[in-house]
Amino acid sequence: MNMKFKEIKESEVIMTELMLPSHSNFNGKIHGGYVLSLLDQIAFACASKHSRAYCVTASVDTVDFLRPIEIGELVTMKASVNYVGRSSMVIGIRVEAENIQTGEVKHCNSSTFTMVAKDSNGKSLSVPGLILKSDNDIRRFAKSLKRIAMKKNRKQEFHDTDFISEEYLHIQELDNVKIER
């Protein structure tokens, strides 16, 4: 196992791009799919910088679209490693858009991606550990641990071979759903 540790700042990546009309959807806002593509690129760059290896996207854990991005705004994405496992890394990304004319900056998106380092044969590769230096670093690492545990529990609880639908029939009373069998 790789016993080297790295500070979070050693792997941080910042990308900035001007949003063009070709990036927009039918409503004149920047297309969410285009933003997702940029998020995947910066997650790859951050994970590869940390691991010094080729990395693949294992999962897109959260993508919160908070505010729309307008054509002509300057988008800045900031990515950092929030958590490392043996070969996996959780990358946190913050997206801000700046109105170039007014200087107003708005927080538009927060995302987390899980990336996995791979060797030249496609096998998972050990990654350096993470040095946590602040309360915020510890909070992000702990939040990632919690998210990983919740994902594992969700997969187990709702596995098709163990799921008992009768335990969930009450959902038709709570939500906008009708159950007909």
Side-chain angles (χ1 to χ4, degrees):
M1 181 163 174
N2 188 345
M3 297 309 287
K4 184 180 177 200
F5 288 83
K6 292 174 94 170
E7 292 183 19
I8 291 171
K9 67 181 179 182
E10 292 180 69
S11 305
E12 288 177 332
V13 175
I14 298 173
M15 286 176 40
T16 302
E17 185 170 331
L18 181 64
M19 295 295 106
L20 303 174
S22 62
H23 304 143
S24 67
N25 60 24
F26 295 114
N27 198 28
K29 309 296 182 194
I30 300 306
H31 195 287
Y34 184 73
V35 175
L36 284 170
S37 173
L38 293 174
L39 293 170
D40 195 43
Q41 288 176 44
I42 195 168
F44 170 84
C46 183
S48 294
K49 188 174 179 182
H50 182 79
S51 64
R52 294 291 176 213
Y54 177 74
C55 294
V56 297
T57 306
S59 66
V60 178
D61 302 315
T62 58
V63 179
D64 295 324
F65 292 99
L66 306 172
R67 298 181 70 186
I69 300 171
E70 307 290 336
I71 295 169
E73 289 183 324
L74 193 61
V75 169
T76 300
M77 296 176 293
K78 301 171 185 173
S80 62
V81 180
N82 290 351
Y83 165 89
V84 294
R86 189 191 68 73
S87 63
S88 66
M89 296 154 280
V90 173
I91 309 300
I93 308 164
R94 180 182 174 95
V95 179
E96 296 176 339
E98 179 182 356
N99 180 312
I100 295 174
Q101 295 171 329
T102 66
E104 178 191 352
V105 176
K106 61 186 177 184
H107 179 198
C108 296
N109 186 298
S110 290
S111 302
T112 54
F113 280 54
T114 298
M115 308 296 289
V116 177
K118 298 288 187 174
D119 67 15
S120 59
N121 297 316
K123 303 257 188 220
S124 294
L125 189 66
S126 293
V127 300
L130 205 54
I131 298 170
L132 307 178
K133 291 193 145 198
S134 70
D135 287 344
N136 197 38
D137 295 346
I138 296 167
R139 179 185 62 80
R140 287 178 175 169
F141 193 93
K143 190 174 182 180
S144 294
L145 282 173
K146 186 77 145 179
R147 187 178 287 117
I148 291 164
M150 288 170 49
K151 188 190 317 186
K152 185 182 282 187
N153 289 340
R154 186 175 59 246
K155 284 180 181 177
Q156 290 171 347
E157 180 178 354
F158 291 99
H159 192 274
D160 59 353
T161 59
D162 300 327
F163 183 77
I164 302 169
S165 61
E166 284 72 25
E167 293 178 7
Y168 292 91
L169 293 180
H170 67 280
I171 62 175
Q172 68 182 346
E173 299 165 10
L174 305 173
D175 296 298
N176 190 17
V177 64
K178 181 178 177 183
I179 299 173
E180 294 181 351
R181 292 191 196 198

